[in-house]
Amino acid sequence: MSLFELFYTFLYIGLFTIGGGVVGLTLLQQTIVSKGIISEEVFYNMVAISESTPGPLGTNMATYIGYSQHGILGGIVATLGEVLPSLVIIMIVARFLQKFNTNPFVKGSLEFLRPVVTGLILVPALNMFLFSCINLPSSIESLKYLYTWKSLIEWVNFIAYSVFVFLLFKFKLHPIILILMGAVFGIIFC
């Protein structure tokens, strides 16, 4: 992938990522993994690393992918492509939003985008869960072999996931604490 293709790819992702980095995970995965730039496993590892480092998810991933392709210059080019559409759109919206804030079409559009963005967030969350906790057959052909619950579910990951979700909702632990706990868990058990 050339520097121009890298810039264009992340410009495209940045332009059509409505709602932030997590929403863009589906688009990022479809674009980057389908082009064979990185594997699905590397993609999910990068998501985990990008989520646990400071900064927006999409920007962190763009920087990492760009760096892995073309070094520091690739990281800069990919990051610029990722953030440029947002910067331009934010400047345009900030200029005109106060004027059109009461417009029923603007209100309706923003209200309609909420459930769409929610769905776009749920897709990568479900994909991450399936990738880390469930051993899905790689093809229809492999369904011939009988999967048992022991081989279908990554039990250690599934139990850790359940514990972390419980801690998050029951005790309202700060996400940074959960991320650190997850890193320690990964070092010990994986």
Side-chain angles (χ1 to χ4, degrees):
M1 174 175 267
S2 70
L3 282 172
F4 177 76
E5 288 173 316
L6 192 66
F7 177 79
Y8 174 77
T9 298
F10 281 99
L11 184 73
Y12 167 77
I13 291 168
L15 185 61
F16 292 104
T17 301
I18 298 171
V22 176
V23 173
L25 278 180
T26 304
L27 181 60
L28 189 63
Q29 179 186 12
Q30 289 173 349
T31 305
I32 300 299
V33 175
S34 70
K35 286 186 177 184
I37 297 169
I38 58 173
S39 69
E40 192 169 3
E41 182 178 358
V42 170
F43 176 79
Y44 286 119
N45 289 339
M46 287 173 47
V47 170
I49 291 168
S50 296
E51 277 287 350
S52 59
T53 56
L57 175 69
T59 305
N60 289 347
M61 290 194 65
T63 305
Y64 184 80
I65 292 170
Y67 180 80
S68 71
Q69 297 293 306
H70 292 284
I72 293 173
L73 182 59
I76 292 169
V77 166
T79 303
L80 184 61
E82 172 75 20
V83 301
L84 190 61
S86 298
L87 289 173
V88 171
I89 290 169
I90 286 171
M91 291 187 332
I92 292 169
V93 167
R95 173 118 171 108
F96 295 106
L97 185 62
Q98 291 301 324
K99 187 183 289 186
F100 297 107
N101 197 21
T102 57
N103 184 314
F105 295 114
V106 172
K107 280 185 172 184
S109 297
L110 293 175
E111 206 158 304
F112 179 74
L113 282 175
R114 285 186 206 127
V116 170
V117 169
T118 303
L120 289 172
I121 290 172
L122 287 175
V123 169
L126 180 61
N127 283 341
M128 289 277 301
F129 172 78
L130 292 173
F131 183 79
S132 62
C133 295
I134 308 293
N135 289 321
L136 293 176
S138 58
S139 68
I140 299 296
E141 191 64 31
S142 61
L143 283 174
K144 289 180 182 176
Y145 302 104
L146 183 62
Y147 271 87
T148 64
W149 284 109
K150 185 175 182 180
S151 65
L152 182 63
I153 296 175
E154 290 283 344
W155 285 105
V156 174
N157 292 351
F158 185 77
I159 290 168
Y161 172 82
S162 301
V163 168
F164 290 143
V165 168
F166 174 77
L167 291 172
L168 178 65
F169 286 110
K170 177 70 173 170
F171 298 108
K172 308 287 188 224
L173 286 181
H174 196 279
I176 291 176
I177 293 171
L178 292 171
I179 290 169
L180 291 173
M181 289 171 63
V184 169
F185 171 82
I187 290 168
I188 293 171
F189 292 104
C190 294

